[in-house]
Amino acid sequence: MKKKFNEDIKVYCEEHFDQLPKLPFLEYPYDRELLNLIKENNLFKQEYYYIQKGDSYAFFVVYHNRMDIFTFGKRALYYPVKVIGFPCSLSYPGYVTNDEKFMLDYIKTIKGAKLVLNVSNPIAHGSYVIGETLPTCMVDLTRGNHGKSYESAEAYFKCFRSSYRRRIRLAIKACDDLEMKLNPKDGRVYDLYRNTYEKSGYKLERLEPGFFEQAEAEQLVFYRDCKPWGFVMLKGVGDKLIFMFCGMDYASETTDLYYFMIYNIIKYAIENKFKYIDLGQTSEETKMKFGAVLEKKYFYANHTNVLLNTAIKLGKGLLEYHYSFPDYKVFKKESEKHESTIF
């Protein structure tokens, strides 16, 4: 698309990831197969950048979206935004860099409104506005077990206090007529994904059916009377299991179904020797009741128009995601662990 070289900086900007130089520092999810699949199935315009200056480098993805800039707030205002984010609703940032200041200096020169999502450790940087976005829900399957993974889901849940175990058991009982299948290659799961997407309060991008048909990931699909009622898409990377997507049939009440799906994610993770689960963003309270801990995430926002950038600073509170959850004490204290319990 465009290449710009001078004595100070090299800039590559391409419409296809394959057109960039080979970047050996990239790891999942920034791999060729996944990014090309998303390019085909995310209809927003996407651009892939690689910039370098001396020892400093950055790779980042930009997708163009006319989005509700108050997505994480309580109002609605649609505006064209260049989103620096992973174009697939994962809780990863859309960039990899060894020099965040260098990257932000360059992104600031891109015309218009920019939103850099899922930042873990933001740095103060001139005209950028920094705010909180949706936190990531992380489950440590070694917690309370001397750094080792639990041998079974039952062993993990026995560490929960009785009220939380009881609620999970009720969901399992309510869903005892469901049949779970692994990777059935059922095109109907896309309808479930669309159902959940339409109900979401945090719409950033929507994927097309080809993604769910071709992605190298596991699908757990839950059937009732031969009809898919819910599904989850999972990806294992090293010792971590990543919860990518889910979908449900909302023809009936779905609370128990959602509990049942999360229970089966944890069961699948333990049976397949994963130590950690990235349960993604949203539905934080339910996930916390399964032992998840929230990891804060932030955004950078900037506009090249000085007046509009000032407006962003003044309206920071409207841009941010505000949350305050109870301190769920899911796990038993040491003094309670001797109690004989069953899951």
Side-chain angles (χ1 to χ4, degrees):
M1 183 180 174
K2 67 179 179 182
K3 299 179 180 67
K4 179 181 174 183
F5 304 96
N6 58 42
E7 293 180 359
D8 295 324
I9 187 171
K10 295 179 180 179
V11 177
Y12 298 83
C13 175
E14 304 291 356
E15 291 185 355
H16 296 275
F17 176 71
D18 286 344
Q19 295 170 331
L20 290 179
K22 204 165 187 180
L23 306 176
F25 56 83
L26 294 180
E27 299 178 350
Y28 183 88
Y30 316 98
D31 59 63
R32 175 181 178 276
E33 291 77 12
L34 181 56
L35 288 173
N36 286 341
L37 183 60
I38 294 171
K39 176 75 174 181
E40 295 173 6
N41 290 279
N42 179 344
L43 300 184
F44 291 128
K45 178 183 176 183
Q46 296 166 56
E47 296 165 336
Y48 303 88
Y49 282 80
Y50 175 63
I51 60 176
Q52 183 178 5
K53 180 180 180 180
D55 293 331
S56 297
Y57 64 81
F59 161 80
F60 56 93
V61 185
V62 177
Y63 65 91
H64 298 237
N65 189 356
R66 187 172 180 82
M67 65 178 289
D68 176 8
I69 62 174
F70 298 136
T71 292
F72 309 114
K74 296 182 178 180
R75 301 190 182 185
L77 176 62
Y78 288 87
Y79 192 84
V81 177
K82 296 179 177 73
V83 180
I84 291 82
F86 195 81
C88 180
S89 291
L90 298 182
S91 54
Y92 287 80
Y95 64 87
V96 177
T97 184
N98 68 346
D99 188 338
E100 198 145 315
K101 180 182 182 302
F102 164 66
M103 181 187 73
L104 293 173
D105 283 341
Y106 182 82
I107 289 174
K108 190 168 61 174
T109 69
I110 299 174
K111 291 184 179 180
K114 286 86 61 180
L115 183 65
V116 184
L117 290 176
N118 291 334
V119 179
S120 294
N121 298 295
I123 59 173
H125 190 282
S127 60
Y128 280 93
V129 175
I130 300 173
E132 283 199 53
T133 185
L134 298 169
T136 301
C137 304
M138 297 295 300
V139 175
D140 181 353
L141 293 174
T142 71
R143 177 173 175 174
N145 198 37
H146 310 291
K148 298 179 181 179
S149 297
Y150 285 89
E151 294 182 357
S152 66
E154 288 74 14
Y156 174 72
F157 289 115
K158 279 181 181 179
C159 295
F160 283 26
R161 288 182 159 176
S162 61
S163 59
Y164 296 99
R165 295 198 312 274
R166 186 182 308 113
R167 181 64 189 88
I168 296 168
R169 287 199 306 270
L170 287 173
I172 294 171
K173 183 177 181 180
C175 296
D176 63 1
D177 62 328
L178 295 182
E179 178 187 7
M180 187 184 78
K181 295 183 181 181
L182 177 64
N183 299 325
K185 302 298 182 183
D186 190 330
R188 293 176 293 178
V189 300
Y190 185 70
D191 295 330
L192 302 178
Y193 162 74
R194 282 292 302 270
N195 289 344
T196 299
Y197 172 84
E198 295 300 337
K199 279 188 168 288
S200 172
Y202 310 105
K203 297 180 179 70
L204 291 176
E205 74 284 321
R206 193 192 77 209
L207 296 173
E208 297 298 297
F211 180 85
F212 298 89
E213 296 166 1
Q214 301 174 52
E216 293 186 5
E218 306 297 330
Q219 290 187 15
L220 307 182
V221 185
F222 303 88
Y223 288 85
R224 176 172 281 145
D225 298 326
C226 299
K227 177 184 176 183
W229 215 254
F231 89 101
V232 295
M233 178 178 277
L234 310 170
K235 176 70 176 180
V237 180
D239 60 4
K240 181 191 295 184
L241 183 66
I242 300 165
F243 172 34
M244 299 179 71
F245 294 102
C246 74
M248 293 183 282
D249 188 322
Y250 293 90
S252 59
E253 205 277 331
T254 57
T255 301
D256 285 324
L257 174 59
Y258 192 61
Y259 265 77
F260 187 62
M261 293 196 302
I262 295 178
Y263 164 76
N264 276 281
I265 292 172
I266 292 174
K267 187 171 184 285
Y268 176 90
I270 292 174
E271 290 175 350
N272 288 276
K273 310 302 182 184
F274 292 103
K275 290 185 176 181
Y276 309 99
I277 307 174
D278 177 348
L279 280 178
Q281 296 161 300
T282 74
S283 304
E284 298 95 332
E285 289 200 68
T286 299
K287 294 170 182 177
M288 290 168 70
K289 293 173 184 177
F290 280 83
V293 175
L294 302 185
E295 290 188 357
K296 289 189 174 185
K297 297 290 182 180
Y298 302 85
F299 65 77
Y300 296 112
N302 173 269
H303 201 294
T304 44
N305 182 294
V306 175
L307 291 178
L308 291 177
N309 203 60
T310 300
I312 291 173
K313 288 185 176 181
L314 294 174
K316 173 188 170 182
L318 297 174
L319 290 170
E320 286 192 292
Y321 178 61
H322 299 278
Y323 59 93
S324 177
F325 301 117
D327 180 17
Y328 294 110
K329 299 186 185 300
V330 176
F331 293 92
K332 291 184 287 188
K333 296 179 181 179
E334 284 295 327
S335 60
E336 300 171 316
K337 287 186 177 180
H338 69 279
E339 296 176 0
S340 177
T341 60
I342 59 170
F343 172 58

